[in-house]
Amino acid sequence: MPAATDGLGARLLIAAALLIALVTLVVPLALIFASAFAEGWAAYVANIMQPDTLHAVFLTVLTAVIVVPVNMVFGIATAWAVARYDFPGRKLMISLIEIPFSVSPIVAGTIYLFLYGQQGLLGPTLQSWGVQVMFSVPAIVLVSLFVTAPFVARELIPLMQAQGSEDEEAALSLGASPWQTFRLVTLPNIRWALLYGAVLTNARAMGEFGAVSVVSGSIRGQTNTLPLQIELLFNDFNVVGAFAAASTLALIAVATLVLKFLLERHAQ
Amino acid sequence: MPMTSLQRRRRVMPGFGLSMGIALTYFALIVLLPLVAMAIKTASLGWEDYWKIVTAPRSLASFRITLTAALAATVVNAVVGLLFAWVLTRYRFPGRRLLDALVDLPFALPTAVAGLTLVTLFAPNGWFGRYLEPLGIKVAYAPLGIMAAMFFTSIPFVVRTVQPVLEDLSADVEEAARSLGARPWQVFALVIWPVILPAFLAGTTMAFARSIGEFGAVVFIAGNLPMVTEITSLLIFIRLDEFNYPAAAALASVLLLVAFLLLFLTNSLQARVLRHARRD
Amino acid sequence: MAQGSLRTLALAIGVATFAPAAHAEVDTILNVSYDIGRELYAAIDEQFSADWQAEHGAPLQVDQSHAGSSKQARAVVEGLQADVVTFNQVTDVQFLADNGFVAADWAERLPNNASPYYSLPAFVVRAGNPKGIDDWDDLARDDVQVVFPNPKTSGNGRYTYLAARAWAGEAFGGDEAKVTEYLQKVFANVPVFDTGGRAATTTFAERGIGDVLITFEAELAAIARQYGADKVQPVVPPTSLLAEFPVAVVDKVVDARGSRDVAEAYLDYLYQPKAQEIIVGFGNRVNDEAVMAAHADQFPPVRLFSVDETFGGWAKVGEEHFAEGGKLDEVFVAQ
């Protein structure tokens, strides 16, 4: 429930938030679009419509489409296990889940090389079976899963712990099946946190650069994601093209937020 | 012990096997297995070599720079994040939706773009830099720039962890407190704060953890002078470029260890806070 | 297209790719290259594919991968299926040779140490050259700020370091203490070490940092085109260092794929006058005298040191200078 906004304190807080947002978020975004449109609409469209850039958009969206649902399932399962039960190693598990956040993206990519590369632990065995994971789309999906694994779980755990399990217990005692309880009681209770988690996962999966750059092989038109394509354009002195490509990522982010807004409306 | 009754009650909940199964399998495959691969690489160094690499003056300087900047960025993030989350959930004002949408921007931008954007803004001839530099405030190519990049790339964490909890917090309790004569700050300190504290802690730790690993955004704005503005991630990158995997893994292991200890600490703290809250 | 997307989707869901089996008709090869060679190789590949089609009556596509040279070498060793590599550092091809991906005698297989073109570190200064910077000694002046990429992460930066050292070695008659002192001064004049050459260029040209940028001569034309003669101007110093751009067939991959003939034809093509013209058009120097004579006005005469003669070869340079705790660290870290 929103409180009244007429108090002086409230106005000061809102003003402070808007001012900070202006400096830290709006101005950088404005700079990106200003740079993207520095040579006008026609150049902007031409830059976006480049086949390599379009393929990069496709690959980036494809990655997100796979990564988001998978990590949602993982996140719900983990949060359920951690928030609803006590078991030995529970605290350790909560901490371990967050490890991918603290791993430098470059290192995240490199540890996948240690695992699936030709000099790695599993790479040679997989190669002998004719399976190549590195420098292909599966590798990009795998590291994206890694870097975004904690988001949903980390959104859900504090919320589910704060909520407790009384609602579910009530439903169960009234004869609801476990699945019904989950769908009709748990899911509505956690929907906002789940949504925020999914939105963050999506944003990060699309924007990830360091980890993907290590494992993708950067073959243009094949394994270049949008962030890699942006670097390529930057290295071509095509600053306008680079920012144009970056602006599409910003637009996709805004689009997911519009989607969230619509879902919110629908829920009300 | 209050735990046992809680535990017994919780055991009634179904789905333990299923959720644990999914969580552990996935976790082992996606997160643990690669980490084991790294551990094996690190272990190929002897203890003596490992110690020599991580205590070299240049490594130590990079740890100091990285951790100080990350800490500063996290403190700012904690305050700003809390402010954003509060304003977004509590008030209706023009531009609220836009602000809500903008919060995720730092994640959506590839870190290199974020770094490039920030350095363009803070360079001596940039939109911000041209006003800051005459005042003697140097951001681009200075330690302050590292902090700015870390702050920017982890803005969403605190906001997005606190926001759902605030959203979920029923207004009844607050109104009850208020009707009983509590002042606004008392309502916040005594009613709201204890509830959002676990999420707040989770958010700030994530922001910190992300900051110490940040690479792409920082290298653009840092200046990368050894001993002065060189972060650990860059040093790792350099070792990788020299094909010196064990040294890279050794440096990475230090960051990991710091982050892990911190995460474990806050999670324990969080659990204690929660137990207190439940006992009331 | 639809089929392509489906295939990618199937791959992504976890049905992993199967390594391409050896077969006779190879219609694509992969050239794994350094980060700033995209425009150059896009131009060469287009011409090569057209000529191949005309000669063999079959299409041939050259796929390109671009990133930092050392990172690319690492990727090939970890399984990136490169038929050929075109790098900007000899050490990166040598790394492939040391790991058995490229024959040990790779440098003798093609002319000029297997480098179809070369370049050299040169200067870019502010328009009008207000600080009068025209040789290596100016870089150590107290009133000069210098920008070049991090020698630890960039081949461009490593060449700069070696060129400055080679000049100093001669100027100070081999007095090691004076050389070190000079280099320390130069490094102390650098306010920013970007990780790559193009990032350093942006720092210099767009942020207005520094009085002189040091980068490959091949970059000068693009920089002048991008930023205009009213902002920056090139200066080629009287002496510099030979920077080779070595190429090699990745034997391990081409033998598995059966693409050796095509890969070798591609590298040979780089030495043909047609390709050499394109290469020169992008500001690189070549050894083809006829081509160079036609572009004499583009390239002022420079006396070049070579790594082999001045420093005793790349293996020695790696050990003495670039290894951790080597001579580079003496002037770079100990500031």
Side-chain angles (χ1 to χ4, degrees):
Chain A
M1 260 295 128
T5 48
D6 45 355
L8 179 69
R11 284 182 191 195
L12 278 177
L13 287 179
I14 295 170
L18 287 178
L19 188 72
I20 294 171
L22 181 77
V23 172
T24 60
L25 297 168
V26 178
V27 172
L29 189 67
L31 181 81
I32 290 169
F33 278 92
S35 312
F37 285 103
E39 287 169 9
W41 256 104
Y44 180 81
V45 173
N47 272 313
I48 302 278
M49 295 310 285
Q50 259 205 345
D52 286 352
T53 302
L54 279 184
H55 185 274
V57 172
F58 162 74
L59 187 57
T60 297
V61 172
L62 174 77
T63 307
V65 164
I66 297 166
V67 166
V68 173
V70 171
N71 271 339
M72 278 169 83
V73 171
F74 166 68
I76 294 172
T78 309
W80 183 268
V82 161
R84 293 288 181 260
Y85 311 101
D86 267 305
F87 53 90
R90 180 173 155 277
K91 250 186 269 174
L92 188 72
M93 189 169 162
I94 301 181
S95 309
L96 279 173
I97 290 165
E98 284 166 21
I99 287 286
F101 281 147
S102 53
V103 177
S104 175
I106 297 286
V107 174
T110 308
I111 60 180
Y112 267 84
L113 269 191
F114 289 166
L115 192 58
Y116 294 109
Q118 281 305 291
Q119 319 291 314
L121 282 185
L122 304 179
T125 317
L126 290 172
Q127 183 74 22
S128 68
W129 297 342
V131 179
Q132 167 141 16
V133 177
M134 276 296 110
F135 312 114
S136 62
V137 178
I140 295 171
V141 173
L142 278 174
V143 291
S144 302
L145 284 173
F146 177 87
V147 294
T148 58
F151 282 109
V152 176
R154 232 38 211 94
E155 290 291 324
L156 291 182
I157 290 170
L159 181 75
M160 285 173 76
Q161 282 178 331
Q163 282 177 343
S165 53
E166 286 79 7
D167 289 357
E168 279 107 347
E169 279 161 25
L172 286 168
S173 68
L174 289 173
S177 77
W179 173 242
Q180 281 174 322
T181 310
F182 175 74
R183 205 163 49 89
L184 301 173
V185 179
T186 311
L187 219 47
N189 274 342
I190 62 169
R191 65 168 184 262
W192 296 130
L194 185 62
L195 201 62
Y196 285 126
V199 166
L200 288 183
T201 307
N202 180 63
R204 186 91 162 82
M206 286 189 170
E208 179 50 37
F209 169 75
V212 171
S213 89
V214 176
V215 301
S216 98
S218 320
I219 305 169
R220 65 164 206 252
Q222 288 176 29
T223 60
N224 249 9
T225 61
L226 204 40
L228 296 180
Q229 180 70 13
I230 291 170
E231 193 207 21
L232 195 82
L233 291 169
F234 173 69
N235 274 336
D236 279 355
F237 281 133
N238 187 351
V239 177
V240 173
F243 275 109
S247 73
T248 60
L249 276 173
L251 285 178
I252 293 172
V254 173
T256 36
L257 265 295
V258 171
L259 193 74
K260 179 191 139 219
F261 169 68
L262 293 177
L263 282 172
E264 253 175 292
R265 270 261 285 265
H266 183 71
Q268 284 162 9
Chain B
M1 204 128 154
M3 213 57 193
T4 44
S5 69
L6 193 71
Q7 200 172 352
R8 204 175 49 236
R9 210 179 55 190
R10 285 187 179 189
R11 280 289 183 216
V12 183
M13 297 294 295
F16 182 72
L18 180 70
S19 60
M20 263 319 257
I22 295 176
L24 283 183
T25 312
Y26 181 84
F27 187 71
L29 281 179
I30 296 292
V31 180
L32 276 189
L33 199 58
L35 287 175
V36 168
M38 183 177 101
I40 291 174
K41 279 279 176 192
T42 321
S44 69
L45 284 170
W47 172 247
E48 229 164 84
D49 286 334
Y50 178 86
W51 191 245
K52 223 172 89 191
I53 290 167
V54 300
T55 58
R58 193 170 173 189
S59 309
L60 290 178
S62 82
F63 294 145
R64 195 194 67 234
I65 294 155
T66 308
L67 293 176
T68 325
L71 199 66
T74 307
V75 170
V76 181
N77 250 325
V79 177
V80 171
L82 196 60
L83 176 68
F84 279 1
W86 178 260
V87 167
L88 282 174
T89 48
R90 292 291 134 149
Y91 308 125
R92 294 285 175 270
F93 55 93
R96 192 184 74 93
R97 294 266 173 221
L98 189 70
L99 179 61
D100 198 9
L102 280 175
V103 166
D104 292 317
L105 180 74
F107 277 173
L109 287 180
T111 49
V113 176
L116 203 62
T117 309
L118 289 175
V119 75
T120 309
L121 287 174
F122 284 110
N125 58 6
W127 292 354
F128 292 162
R130 75 177 65 149
Y131 302 108
L132 292 175
E133 296 263 326
L135 301 176
I137 304 171
K138 208 168 150 32
V139 180
Y141 315 120
L144 209 54
I146 302 179
M147 200 209 91
M150 288 176 171
F151 163 73
F152 181 79
T153 47
S154 47
I155 286 176
F157 281 110
V158 177
V159 189
R160 293 303 189 216
T161 35
V162 173
Q163 204 176 352
V165 181
L166 272 179
E167 205 115 41
D168 204 54
L169 195 69
S170 76
D172 310 352
V173 194
E174 279 172 64
E175 266 160 35
R178 217 173 287 127
S179 68
L180 289 173
R183 295 179 165 281
W185 65 267
Q186 283 178 317
V187 177
F188 183 82
L190 299 173
V191 180
I192 300 169
W193 181 245
V195 181
I196 61 169
L197 187 58
F200 176 74
L201 281 176
T204 43
T205 347
M206 280 193 279
F208 181 79
R210 172 93 162 85
S211 292
I212 61 174
E214 182 48 41
F215 174 75
V218 176
V219 290
F220 273 94
I221 198 170
N224 308 323
L225 295 173
M227 314 293 287
V228 185
T229 49
E230 185 178 64
I231 55 165
T232 310
S233 290
L234 176 62
L235 209 51
I236 294 172
F237 182 78
I238 288 171
R239 296 291 172 256
L240 285 174
D241 251 20
E242 295 169 348
F243 309 117
N244 190 350
Y245 293 160
L251 291 168
S253 74
V254 174
L255 286 193
L256 258 179
L257 208 67
V258 171
F260 180 75
L261 286 178
L262 202 91
L263 292 174
F264 194 72
L265 207 75
T266 41
N267 283 329
S268 307
L269 202 66
Q270 205 179 310
R272 183 172 303 171
V273 171
L274 211 66
R275 259 207 302 282
H276 272 289
R278 286 197 165 270
R279 217 174 279 162
D280 292 341
Chain C
M1 178 62 204
Q3 207 188 345
S5 324
L6 273 178
R7 201 175 95 88
T8 321
L9 193 67
L11 295 181
I13 296 172
V15 189
T17 2
F18 288 83
H23 54 86
E25 341 69 76
V26 173
D27 56 2
T28 62
I29 57 168
L30 175 60
N31 174 9
V32 170
S33 190
Y34 55 97
D35 44 3
I36 56 172
R38 194 185 80 95
E39 286 165 307
L40 169 64
Y41 280 99
I44 294 175
D45 293 349
E46 193 184 346
Q47 190 65 46
F48 175 69
S49 290
D51 287 0
W52 182 273
Q53 172 86 35
E55 197 180 322
H56 296 83
L60 180 72
Q61 187 189 331
V62 184
D63 290 329
Q64 289 289 148
S65 162
H66 294 281
S69 193
S70 298
K71 192 180 126 197
Q72 294 289 64
R74 204 160 67 228
V76 170
V77 168
E78 294 289 358
L80 183 59
Q81 298 289 305
D83 298 278
V84 300
V85 291
T86 51
F87 287 160
N88 61 5
Q89 292 185 85
V90 173
T91 41
D92 294 326
V93 186
Q94 193 54 45
F95 176 72
L96 295 183
D98 294 344
N99 282 278
F101 280 73
V102 165
D105 66 341
W106 64 270
E108 282 99 60
R109 282 182 172 183
L110 289 161
N112 310 317
N113 288 326
S115 297
Y117 52 100
Y118 66 95
S119 194
L120 44 109
F123 305 160
V124 181
V125 296
R126 305 277 166 212
N129 199 358
K131 296 246 168 129
I133 298 160
D134 45 39
D135 205 350
W136 293 93
D137 57 342
D138 294 317
L139 305 182
R141 271 161 44 188
D142 290 337
D143 64 329
V144 170
Q145 279 208 322
V146 186
V147 173
F148 56 88
N150 194 331
K152 285 284 187 179
T153 58
S154 156
N156 195 331
R158 272 189 277 269
Y159 280 119
T160 299
Y161 162 80
L162 289 175
R165 182 172 270 278
W167 172 86
E170 193 180 73
F172 301 122
D175 184 337
E176 192 56 32
K178 279 189 177 161
V179 172
T180 306
E181 193 196 332
Y182 161 79
L183 285 170
Q184 278 174 344
K185 275 192 192 159
V186 173
F187 273 76
N189 281 343
V190 181
V192 185
F193 286 103
D194 284 297
T195 48
R198 289 280 163 96
T201 303
T202 311
T203 299
F204 175 78
E206 292 199 357
R207 318 267 172 264
I209 303 276
D211 302 301
V212 54
L213 165 77
I214 309 178
T215 188
F216 289 130
E217 184 197 37
E219 292 281 284
L220 301 185
I223 292 171
R225 198 168 54 238
Q226 181 75 16
Y227 298 106
D230 55 329
K231 281 179 83 177
V232 297
Q233 84 181 47
V235 171
V236 179
T239 59
S240 191
L241 184 88
L242 172 70
E244 291 174 309
F245 290 71
V247 301
V249 166
V250 183
D251 297 86
K252 206 170 174 176
V253 173
V254 293
D255 287 342
R257 284 191 69 210
S259 55
R260 177 176 288 280
D261 293 348
V262 186
E264 283 177 352
Y266 179 71
L267 292 189
D268 280 338
Y269 189 83
L270 298 178
Y271 289 88
Q272 303 305 314
K274 234 183 200 170
Q276 298 263 298
E277 270 295 333
I278 298 174
I279 289 167
V280 168
F282 281 87
N284 301 282
R285 298 187 184 216
V286 296
N287 288 297
D288 188 313
E289 281 171 16
V291 175
M292 280 304 273
H295 296 270
D297 56 328
Q298 197 184 329
F299 300 108
V302 184
R303 191 163 56 86
L304 290 179
F305 297 104
S306 85
V307 169
D308 285 341
E309 284 165 19
T310 313
F311 297 102
W314 280 104
K316 199 158 166 245
V317 166
E319 264 169 47
E320 258 184 42
H321 295 269
F322 297 131
E324 203 194 331
K327 285 185 176 172
L328 170 61
D329 279 359
E330 264 174 45
V331 298
F332 186 27
V333 182
Q335 288 184 2

